[in-house]
Amino acid sequence: MDNSHEFYMKKALIEARRASSEDEVPVGAIVVYNNIVIAKSYNLCIKLCDPTAHAEMQVITAACGYLNSRYLDKCILYTTLEPCSMCSGAMYWSKLGHLVYGAKDEKRGFSLFKNHLFHPKTKITKGVLQYECTTLLTDFFKKKRKLKEK
Amino acid sequence: MDNSHEFYMKKALIEARRASSEDEVPVGAIVVYNNIVIAKSYNLCIKLCDPTAHAEMQVITAACGYLNSRYLDKCILYTTLEPCSMCSGAMYWSKLGHLVYGAKDEKRGFSLFKNHLFHPKTKITKGVLQYECTTLLTDFFKKKRKLKEK
């Protein structure tokens, strides 16, 4: 596996930890263009009171703004969690060049859908720093459950 | 068919025509809560340089802001075009109560995907003012093609 994927996924993990510290579901994402991070964000659904405010949606919007283009065909998007159908759909419209993700989402991840939600040209790499990305999420929900039980 | 659906779809069509007059793909959407329109918008992908700026995405964000809730389970969303996987995913996260749409989208509409993209509680009504909604789109693309041929 390309080591640079781990380098960038660590940056996405920093974003995910920010989400966690703000009591948001810890998912982080970044967009890389020509080896430069042009967008970074994390899940902001609670803060923005907006169910569409997933990390991936925000970095797609931000990266398109940065590039002044509706297409991210020359970009790599790193996200700590397998994207859902909404975010995969956004990646389709952006004609994303390459998606790299960490943890698997067994409840709402795109791989649950038989039909391919992505643009045919989008390359997909999965499982980068999967353990770290998954642990961040499972720890978060464990803490949530414990607080509920109290 | 409930006549009120046509009443509200006409309002979504007004939004779609606004898109058309601004050279955006003519899709419009509104959200209704307790018989009141709480959000309205149209496709703004070109203007905002953002592939996620579909009419439905914007009214979901706006309606959640209005209600100060991440859930639209008591709302009806009217859109002139069958939602894509991105917008259907956003409706899933918002637990939308009822979706009503006009034209069918044979290229990217949610019904192309075998697995259900929606929340199990979301009611779906299709084909309201289908002819008007479809014609607006086909006329728009006809004009575009003619301009290209010139």
Side-chain angles (χ1 to χ4, degrees), chain B residues 1-13 30 32 35 75-80 98-102 123-130 133:
Chain B
M1 187 177 287
D2 189 345
N3 269 336
S4 73
H5 283 342
E6 295 202 357
F7 173 81
Y8 288 114
M9 189 60 84
K10 279 178 189 164
K11 294 190 182 292
L13 269 165
I30 64 164
V32 175
N35 299 317
C75 294
I76 313 179
L77 190 153
Y78 291 84
T79 174
T80 58
H98 191 166
L99 161 70
V100 183
Y101 69 91
K123 190 180 160 186
I124 298 173
T125 306
K126 63 181 179 179
V128 174
L129 297 183
Q130 184 168 4
C133 294

Side-chain angles (χ1 to χ4, degrees), chain A:
Chain A
M1 187 177 288
D2 188 348
N3 269 336
S4 73
H5 283 342
E6 295 202 356
F7 173 80
Y8 289 115
M9 189 60 84
K10 280 178 188 164
K11 294 190 182 291
L13 269 165
I14 292 171
E15 296 302 309
R17 284 190 199 103
R18 280 195 183 132
S20 182
S21 72
E22 295 178 20
D23 216 28
E24 298 271 3
V25 175
V27 181
I30 64 164
V31 174
V32 175
Y33 173 71
N34 277 347
N35 299 318
I36 297 164
V37 178
I38 60 167
K40 56 180 184 173
S41 192
Y42 50 92
N43 190 25
L44 283 168
C45 290
I46 296 170
K47 192 177 267 181
L48 299 182
C49 191
D50 183 352
T52 76
H54 285 192
E56 301 95 316
M57 297 300 287
Q58 291 175 81
V59 291
I60 290 169
T61 298
C64 287
Y66 177 87
L67 295 174
N68 197 27
S69 164
R70 280 177 292 146
Y71 303 116
L72 303 176
D73 50 310
K74 292 186 174 55
C75 294
I76 313 179
L77 190 153
Y78 292 83
T79 174
T80 58
L81 179 64
E82 181 185 351
C84 69
S85 53
M86 172 179 72
C87 296
S88 308
M91 289 168 200
Y92 170 87
W93 293 116
S94 77
K95 298 182 182 173
L96 180 67
H98 191 166
L99 161 70
V100 183
Y101 69 92
K104 193 169 169 55
D105 183 351
E106 283 170 10
K107 283 189 184 163
R108 290 300 300 173
F110 69 85
S111 49
L112 292 171
F113 299 94
K114 281 183 188 169
N115 298 52
H116 208 54
L117 293 168
F118 289 91
H119 194 273
K121 286 190 180 168
T122 302
K123 189 180 161 186
I124 298 173
T125 305
K126 63 182 180 179
V128 174
L129 298 183
Q130 184 168 5
Y131 177 77
E132 291 86 335
C133 295
T134 307
T135 308
L136 195 62
L137 281 154
T138 48
D139 285 355
F140 178 83
F141 286 112
K142 254 185 220 164
K143 266 186 207 164
K144 282 267 170 204
R145 273 195 299 274
K146 269 190 190 163
L147 280 172
K148 263 193 183 174
E149 283 162 13
K150 271 182 187 170

